[in-house]
Amino acid sequence: DTAVSQTPKYLVTQMGNDKSIKCEQNLGHDTMYWYKQDSKKFLKIMFSYNNKELIINETVPNRFSPKSPDKAHLNLHINSLELGDSAVYFCASSRGLAGAYNEQFFGPGTRLTVL
Amino acid sequence: RKEVEQDPGPFNVPEGATVAFNCTYSNSASQSFFWYRQDCRKEPKLLMSVYSSGNEDGRFTAQLNRASQYISLLIRDSKLSDSATYLCVVNGYNDMRFGAGTRLTVKP
C-alpha cells in the first residue's frame, strides 16, 4: 500500500488554467505538507496542515489554495496558472508538528508543466 | 545568508571512498535536524536524524555542532547505490527548511 499518494503524477496545462492536485496519506498522521521543487532542485515548504488546521503558510501567491477535507487528505488548487508555476509539487505527512523529530514521508510528486 | 546552506557539489568519488558533507544553518533556535536522500526524479526519503550527541547508522555518521550551527554527514566505504542528492533539513517550531542538496556520484 502506498503511504502517501498524489494524483496526477504528470500535469501539462496552458497558462491561465485552473488545476488541482490531490494528496492522500494512509499512515494516520496528523500533519500534512505541500512543497514545491523548482528546476534548480530547491525544495521549499508552501503549506502545512495539522488536524485540518493551517499552521504554515509561506509566502505563496494567493492563486494557490490548499484544502484539507479531513486529516488524511490535503489538496492543492492553483488558479490562473503561470509559466513560473512549472515545478514538481510534493505532498508529505508526519506524525506530529515540525520542530520535533518527526520523519516526513513524501508522495511521489506531481510534475506540473505550464505551457 | 541563506537559512540552510549546503555545498551543491557534485562530489565524484570512487567506490570505497569516504566522503563528508556539511550543512550550515542560520537560525540558532532550530530544534531538529535531518539528512534526507533524494534519487533522480524521486521523492526525498529520510536517511537519518541528527542528534546532539552524534549518531551512526552502519556506514553513515551524522554530527551536530550547535555552537557553530552546522551538521555533517560522513559516508564510509561508498557504494554505487549511494549515488544520490543528500538534503539537509533544519526544523524550528512549525518551520522546516531544506538545503538545496549535495549531489554525490560514486563511480566504479
Side-chain angles (χ1 to χ4, degrees):
Chain A
D1 278 347
T2 304
V4 182
S5 58
Q6 295 178 228
T7 54
K9 192 168 183 181
Y10 299 95
L11 186 52
V12 181
T13 188
Q14 299 286 334
M15 266 198 312
N17 284 351
D18 303 338
K19 291 292 178 186
S20 292
I21 307 171
K22 295 186 176 181
C23 178
E24 176 181 1
Q25 53 94 5
N26 62 7
L27 297 166
H29 287 167
D30 295 328
T31 307
M32 296 185 72
Y33 312 82
W34 275 110
Y35 288 88
K36 178 180 180 181
Q37 189 168 43
D38 59 27
S39 57
K40 294 183 180 178
K41 309 301 181 188
F42 187 55
L43 196 67
K44 189 168 182 183
I45 182 77
M46 299 173 69
F47 302 103
S48 174
Y49 272 73
N50 178 259
N51 283 320
K52 303 195 307 175
E53 181 183 343
L54 180 66
I55 55 171
I56 294 177
N57 185 355
E58 291 291 299
T59 306
V60 175
N62 57 15
R63 299 182 294 105
F64 290 78
S65 52
K67 283 194 171 49
S68 183
D70 55 62
K71 73 175 192 177
H73 296 84
L74 181 61
N75 303 323
L76 183 65
H77 187 76
I78 315 170
N79 288 328
S80 304
L81 278 155
E82 300 178 357
L83 293 176
D85 297 334
S86 295
V88 181
Y89 291 83
F90 286 102
C91 176
S93 73
S94 65
R95 187 177 303 279
L97 296 172
Y101 276 94
N102 292 311
E103 177 181 357
Q104 292 184 61
F105 292 80
F106 284 80
T110 295
R111 188 170 296 273
L112 171 65
T113 303
V114 182
L115 304 175
Chain B
R1 181 183 174 186
K2 290 181 185 174
E3 290 163 340
V4 179
E5 285 199 76
Q6 294 182 247
D7 181 344
F11 283 67
N12 297 309
V13 303
E15 268 186 294
T18 295
V19 62
F21 309 137
N22 280 338
C23 167
T24 59
Y25 61 95
S26 60
N27 183 357
S28 59
S30 297
Q31 300 175 356
S32 57
F33 308 86
F34 307 85
W35 285 102
Y36 277 71
R37 169 193 169 130
Q38 186 173 24
D39 293 299
C40 188
R41 301 180 77 86
K42 297 284 189 180
E43 71 273 23
K45 292 184 178 178
L46 180 67
L47 177 66
M48 60 196 302
S49 303
V50 187
Y51 301 110
S52 296
S53 54
N55 47 298
E56 189 174 306
D57 183 2
R59 297 180 294 107
F60 300 86
T61 300
Q63 297 279 352
L64 166 62
N65 185 318
R66 284 190 182 271
S68 301
Q69 294 183 204
Y70 75 85
I71 67 172
S72 63
L73 177 67
L74 182 77
I75 306 175
R76 289 182 299 277
D77 189 22
S78 299
K79 311 290 185 192
L80 296 177
S81 58
D82 294 335
S83 297
T85 297
Y86 291 83
L87 304 170
C88 163
V89 183
V90 177
N91 290 353
Y93 180 71
N94 282 338
D95 180 65
M96 283 149 299
R97 303 290 165 182
F98 278 71
T102 298
R103 174 85 189 131
L104 171 67
T105 301
V106 181
K107 300 187 173 179

